[in-house]
Amino acid sequence: IHKEMKQKLPYLLEIIWLLVAIFSILFATVRTFSLGFKENIMLYVIALLACLMYCFRRYLRKTREGLNQDKQ
């Protein structure tokens, strides 16, 4: 059971970062219409960081999957 959870954890973290990115972008866009861009720059920064983290986590997972297939 421990090994299965260890394999699913990177995928779960990847999905969490993707959700944070999507909701941040949506929330920032909605608030921009009511308050203006200058008031919501930080939300866009959070969305950008979440997108970068998603890409990084995905890259790491794919790289590790490739290394594990090479060993087998």
Side-chain angles (χ1 to χ4, degrees), residues 18-35:
L18 181 61
L19 290 173
V20 169
I22 290 170
F23 286 118
S24 298
I25 291 169
L26 289 174
F27 188 62
T29 303
V30 168
R31 281 187 46 128
T32 298
F33 285 116
S34 61
L35 299 175

Side-chain angles (χ1 to χ4, degrees), residues 32-59:
T32 298
F33 285 116
S34 61
L35 299 175
F37 181 75
K38 196 172 186 178
E39 299 294 322
N40 296 298
I41 291 175
M42 203 56 171
L43 288 173
Y44 287 105
V45 170
I46 291 170
L48 176 65
L49 290 174
C51 288
L52 290 173
M53 283 301 296
Y54 166 75
C55 293
F56 180 68
R57 295 296 309 187
R58 182 174 173 85
Y59 170 77

